[in-house]
Amino acid sequence: MLGRVNHIAIAVPDLEAATAAYRDTLGAAVSQPQALPEHGVTVVFVELPNTKVELLQPLGETSPIAAFLEKNPSGGMHHICYEVDDILLARDRLVAAGARVLGDGQPKTGAHGKPVLFLHPKDFFGTLIELEQA
Ligand code: CO
């Protein structure tokens, strides 16, 4: 069911500092910051040969990563995104297997304009999983 790792998302309290660390200390190619108000984040894409890392900073009052940063003030890995061919088929198989889909269970349009779902981290060893239809 799972395909490629589409991205790994890291929540950070200071996007400028995190971008500089990835660019200057780790020597990675980084994008300009992009505000995604509908997702409550500002994101910088770190482009790697086989996948990308997304540095997420909260944007707005109701950011979905604000609570995470309260618990992890210096930042931390927020979720990992796997690609699937058919998100509805994947969802139905997961729900039948007892996994919990966050929200109303319907795919939403993610940060890349593709349908996404999130799976409850308690069902997957403490890691929030995003599925994206590639
Ligand atoms: Co994501």
Side-chain angles (χ1 to χ4, degrees):
M1 182 159 65
L2 294 186
R4 296 173 64 247
V5 173
N6 183 275
H7 60 273
I8 295 161
I10 300 175
V12 301
D14 181 340
L15 190 57
E16 218 170 296
T19 302
Y22 268 83
R23 184 188 56 224
D24 304 333
T25 309
L26 294 170
V30 299
S31 75
Q32 289 299 310
Q34 293 177 28
L36 301 173
E38 69 279 24
H39 295 286
V41 295
T42 304
V43 59
V44 164
F45 298 99
V46 180
E47 295 292 344
L48 303 173
N50 62 341
T51 190
K52 58 188 175 292
V53 169
E54 297 182 2
L55 304 174
L56 307 176
Q57 179 179 263
L59 175 65
E61 303 279 295
T62 57
S63 174
I65 62 169
F68 180 89
L69 277 173
E70 264 167 45
K71 280 183 243 154
N72 304 276
S74 55
M77 202 192 88
H78 185 261
H79 64 268
I80 183 162
C81 177
Y82 300 111
E83 295 179 357
V84 294
D85 289 331
D86 182 331
I87 201 161
L88 294 176
L89 188 67
R91 177 198 61 190
D92 293 347
R93 280 176 59 175
L94 285 158
V95 168
R100 288 168 287 178
V101 175
L102 298 189
D104 64 5
Q106 296 307 312
K108 303 270 186 300
T109 301
H112 316 111
K114 307 244 178 87
V116 303
L117 284 174
F118 286 91
L119 305 176
H120 201 297
K122 290 216 166 98
D123 294 338
F124 294 100
F125 318 102
T127 304
L128 177 61
I129 292 178
E130 179 179 19
L131 298 178
E132 180 172 303
Q133 186 166 294

